[in-house]
Amino acid sequence: MARQMKDSGIEWIGEIPETWEMIPLKYLASYNDETLGETTDDDYEFDYIEIGSVEYGKGITGTEHMKFKNAPSRARRIVRENDIIVSTVRTYLKAVAKVTLDGQVASTGFVVIRPKNVNASFLQYGILAHSFISMVEAFSVGISYPAINASQVVGFKIPSPSMREQQKIADYLDQQCAYIDAVIEKTKASIEEYKKLKQAVITEAVTKGVRGERPMKDSGSVWFGEIPVDWEMNRLKYVFHIQKDIAGEEGHTVLSITQKGIKPKDLSKNEGQLAENYSNYQLVHVGDFAMNHMDLLTGWVDISKYEGVTSPDYRVFVLNDKKNDSHYYLYMMQMCYSNKIFYGLGQGVSGLGRWRLQADKFLNFCIAVPPVHEQHEIAEYLDAKCSEIDGLIENKEKMLSELELYKKSLIYEYVTGKKEVPQS
């Protein structure tokens, strides 16, 4: 028989079982009640692991071993096993984790919730539930960095069944979520394998062609190895030239170079780096190549499908001979990013994301140049092959989204009592 339900009084939670209560989190747990500054021994050394970040489904990541002695950083929170940490800055669903080890500290950007009158695992699921995150996001302030006050977080109510039922729900969700997480990890691994396959296909095609066994010769380049005997190796400056035309006026579409290609930037969202004036940006025309050579790890190169402007710090370049196949050269350029060939030619401070490909290194880099008719052949082959692999990746990513959505829904259904744990 279905159990009796009642209105929780909270829109995002809806109905809960009649015997459950809605209790503010602060009555079930303490928060931020232990900091490094509580010691009175000035000579004491605090030996802790600093919590860097939290990823949904992965827990705590980016940790760093640290010692604190007479440090101004004593405002950091001490974190104990079974504490729940929630990010109060950039507050999103992924920024929640249950701590599994003592001897850690968290910055003041986290609220540390210590369970007292609640099962720790049930509390974690309660905070991970979509209903709780909806409340957090509703009260968050800020545009670029949404944030919320710790006292607001612990003021939110969560459904509270008996301790026995909390344990039962937590055990069931542990089991179900572990299974879903395993499928998610396999799916992610499969996506990575498809991406590697795609890159291998591109690398083989732009360095060896697509005609199977044929006479080869040494390219003289460690990057390209052997190439077909009728191909040439030319410096980029004999194939492309850099062009830089400053717009001199506002009103152009602002283009961003992302790892998904060149995209128009929505300035109304106030996201990413914004300029006070775009008249000093450089023009980009349809068919132009543009690359972010400022960051050779996360930067990218693409052919523009749009008329617009992009940062004057980026590199815009065009083919010297329009008879050449631009898509062949795009695949080759992207291969140089993915295989970190451009990275190997760069210089700068990589730890700060400033690893740049200087113009002279770029222009004097030797690339494989097939005959024009074979450039077309390779480009057509890769268009078809990459489209096929991209379709497989898209299906896997869709499956991934559905799994993650199902997991969130599952947690919500059980921590709000809309579903009962099946009888074993």
Side-chain angles (χ1 to χ4, degrees):
M1 185 176 69
R3 55 183 165 182
Q4 296 297 308
M5 306 292 283
K6 67 181 178 182
D7 184 13
S8 68
I10 298 175
E11 179 183 354
W12 293 291
I13 292 177
E15 290 189 332
I16 60 172
E18 193 172 44
T19 58
W20 291 24
E21 299 297 328
M22 293 297 301
I23 300 177
L25 206 158
K26 61 186 176 183
Y27 296 128
L28 301 173
S30 62
Y31 72 101
N32 295 348
D33 62 351
E34 191 177 4
T35 67
L36 291 177
E38 290 184 356
T39 181
T40 57
D41 185 351
D42 290 338
D43 293 325
Y44 183 77
E45 283 197 353
F46 299 92
D47 191 357
Y48 282 101
I49 299 295
E50 173 89 84
I51 292 169
S53 59
V54 174
E55 289 187 39
Y56 182 73
K58 292 185 178 179
I60 297 166
T61 62
T63 56
E64 179 183 358
H65 190 272
M66 302 186 77
K67 282 182 179 290
F68 299 96
K69 183 176 181 180
N70 302 330
S73 54
R74 286 186 174 180
R76 284 179 169 83
R77 328 283 191 205
I78 295 177
V79 181
R80 304 293 182 188
E81 184 178 0
N82 284 329
D83 286 352
I84 314 295
I85 60 172
V86 181
S87 173
T88 56
V89 180
R90 295 189 182 190
T91 311
Y92 299 109
L93 181 58
K94 64 182 180 181
V96 178
K98 186 173 77 168
V99 178
T100 56
L101 294 171
D102 274 348
Q104 299 188 84
V105 294
S107 76
T108 54
F110 292 101
V111 54
V112 177
I113 300 170
R114 185 157 297 163
K116 289 189 173 180
N117 303 313
V118 64
N119 178 282
S121 292
F122 179 83
L123 177 60
Q124 180 193 20
Y125 286 121
I127 294 173
L128 280 171
H130 175 69
S131 53
F132 188 90
I133 299 303
S134 295
M135 289 187 284
V136 171
E137 290 181 339
F139 282 84
S140 295
V141 296
I143 299 173
S144 299
Y145 300 95
I148 190 167
N149 187 284
S151 61
Q152 287 179 302
V153 173
V154 297
F156 296 143
K157 294 180 179 180
I158 67 168
S160 182
S162 68
M163 291 292 285
R164 180 175 175 276
E165 194 161 6
Q166 288 178 28
Q167 185 67 60
K168 189 176 177 182
I169 292 168
D171 289 345
Y172 180 75
L173 288 177
D174 282 345
Q175 180 187 52
Q176 296 299 310
C177 290
Y179 172 76
I180 297 169
D181 287 341
V183 178
I184 286 174
E185 287 307 308
K186 286 182 181 178
T187 305
K188 287 180 177 178
S190 178
I191 290 171
E192 289 307 309
E193 288 302 312
Y194 279 129
K195 288 180 178 178
K196 288 177 183 177
L197 171 63
K198 178 180 175 180
Q199 194 51 43
V201 168
I202 292 171
T203 300
E204 179 73 13
V206 300
T207 60
K208 305 291 184 285
V210 294
R211 296 182 177 181
E213 294 292 328
R214 60 200 296 192
M216 308 292 280
K217 67 180 180 183
D218 183 8
S219 68
S221 166
V222 296
W223 309 112
F224 287 85
E226 288 193 330
I227 60 172
V229 293
D230 57 339
W231 289 24
E232 297 178 357
M233 291 295 293
N234 278 342
R235 297 185 189 277
L236 266 170
K237 63 184 177 182
Y238 299 124
V239 183
F240 290 93
H241 64 272
I242 296 172
Q243 68 179 23
K244 192 166 188 176
D245 298 328
I246 301 301
E249 60 184 4
E250 295 271 18
H252 295 278
T253 300
V254 179
L255 303 175
S256 294
I257 303 174
T258 75
Q259 289 201 325
K260 292 187 176 180
I262 296 174
K263 304 289 185 183
K265 191 180 187 74
D266 186 349
L267 301 180
S268 66
K269 291 186 177 180
N270 292 317
E271 294 177 346
Q273 294 184 344
L274 302 176
E276 291 184 7
N277 189 321
Y278 292 95
S279 63
N280 65 341
Y281 269 39
Q282 60 181 321
L283 293 169
V284 180
H285 303 292
V286 173
D288 287 354
F289 286 72
M291 67 186 294
N292 175 2
H293 65 288
M294 310 289 288
D295 181 357
L296 299 175
L297 279 177
T298 61
W300 198 236
V301 59
D302 193 20
I303 297 172
S304 182
K305 298 181 180 67
Y306 311 95
E307 293 286 331
V309 293
T310 195
S311 168
D313 293 327
Y314 292 159
R315 181 167 296 146
V316 178
F317 52 103
V318 296
L319 285 164
N320 295 333
D321 186 348
K322 299 300 182 184
K323 292 180 182 177
N324 281 308
D325 193 300
S326 59
H327 281 86
Y328 163 77
Y329 286 104
L330 178 62
Y331 282 120
M332 188 271 294
M333 292 279 180
Q334 292 179 344
M335 182 269 292
C336 288
Y337 264 101
S338 298
N339 292 357
K340 295 189 178 178
I341 295 173
F342 284 155
Y343 183 84
L345 299 172
Q347 62 187 56
V349 186
S350 61
L352 298 176
R354 301 180 187 135
W355 197 254
R356 307 178 182 187
L357 181 59
Q358 303 295 333
D360 62 329
K361 292 280 186 71
F362 173 73
L363 291 172
N364 286 298
F365 176 60
C366 285
I367 59 170
V369 179
V372 173
H373 66 276
E374 195 169 354
Q375 293 175 26
H376 297 323
E377 184 179 291
I378 293 168
E380 288 176 1
Y381 169 83
L382 287 177
D383 284 347
K385 200 70 178 176
C386 290
S387 177
E388 179 184 345
I389 297 172
D390 286 342
L392 295 171
I393 292 173
E394 186 178 345
N395 288 338
K396 290 287 184 179
E397 288 177 338
K398 182 180 178 183
M399 178 181 173
L400 195 61
S401 296
E402 289 173 350
L403 283 167
E404 290 173 342
L405 187 63
Y406 172 68
K407 180 179 175 180
K408 294 173 187 177
S409 174
L410 186 76
I411 292 170
Y412 168 77
E413 293 286 342
Y414 283 95
V415 299
T416 60
K418 291 174 179 56
K419 286 188 177 178
E420 289 188 72
V421 175
Q423 297 293 328
S424 57

